[in-house]
Amino acid sequence: IVAVIAKSDVMKTSSPPNISTDIVQSAKDILNRVVAPVDGIQLALLCTPDGFEITALRLNSELPTERLSAMAGSLMAMAKAVATEIGHKACKRLTFETELGTVVFQAVTGSFPAILCLVVDKNGLLGRALWAAGEVSIGFSNRELQQNASVVR
């Protein structure tokens, strides 16, 4: 037991990246432009693949974004493993339903990879949410400023 405790004290934890204000502003702009008008979306969250929040748009939610960001990274990694196992290249979207609504995780590729998480209430139209997820992914990954963006640790 002592060895386990000693080992865990030495283990490093991941620290949040310093994300440029240009990236954060770009993310806010696209969430406001694309997601805000879609009825039924309670929360839109953009986070890094390692689970740190870039920005969030709260439309009707007080959900803890810090924990959701961490889960988004883990869930997309698991989905990628499943895709690999069945012979597919990658997982671009993960969607699951509950009795209260749907949660969509969308991979955002490009020079600044990210994960979009949309929490949609049970009255929201899934097709509209999926369209919005795709538009955010395309818009955020194609931002011209991302060509020069970097994450500094």
Side-chain angles (χ1 to χ4, degrees):
I1 296 176
V2 174
V4 172
I5 293 171
K7 187 174 184 176
S8 68
D9 287 341
V10 176
M11 292 173 55
K12 294 182 181 176
T13 57
S14 188
S15 60
N18 292 322
I19 301 168
S20 76
T21 56
D22 288 341
I23 292 292
V24 173
Q25 190 58 53
S26 176
K28 285 180 180 182
D29 291 347
I30 198 159
L31 291 181
N32 280 314
R33 184 172 48 81
V34 175
V35 177
V38 179
D39 291 336
I41 295 180
Q42 296 177 320
L43 175 72
L45 167 69
L46 264 171
C47 61
T48 62
D50 55 349
F52 293 102
E53 181 177 331
I54 298 169
T55 192
L57 174 65
R58 294 177 180 280
L59 298 167
N60 188 20
S61 174
E62 292 304 316
L63 292 171
T65 55
E66 186 175 279
R67 291 175 55 188
L68 195 55
S69 293
M71 286 186 269
S74 297
L75 287 168
M76 287 301 283
M78 288 175 47
K80 182 179 178 182
V82 170
T84 300
E85 187 65 29
I86 62 172
H88 294 208
K89 289 184 178 182
C91 176
K92 70 177 194 176
R93 182 181 295 150
L94 175 64
T95 305
F96 63 90
E97 297 179 39
T98 72
E99 66 273 0
L100 298 177
T102 305
V103 181
V104 177
F105 295 96
Q106 171 85 35
V108 178
T109 58
S111 61
F112 193 91
I115 298 170
L116 171 67
C117 174
L118 296 179
V119 178
V120 185
D121 68 30
K122 64 183 176 183
N123 297 317
L125 297 176
L126 182 57
R128 290 284 316 253
L130 295 176
W131 171 85
E135 290 297 303
V136 169
S137 179
I138 291 166
F140 189 70
S141 63
N142 287 341
R143 298 297 288 199
E144 188 173 294
L145 67 93
Q146 288 186 340
Q147 299 305 316
N148 301 319
S150 63
V151 175
V152 180
R153 290 209 180 259

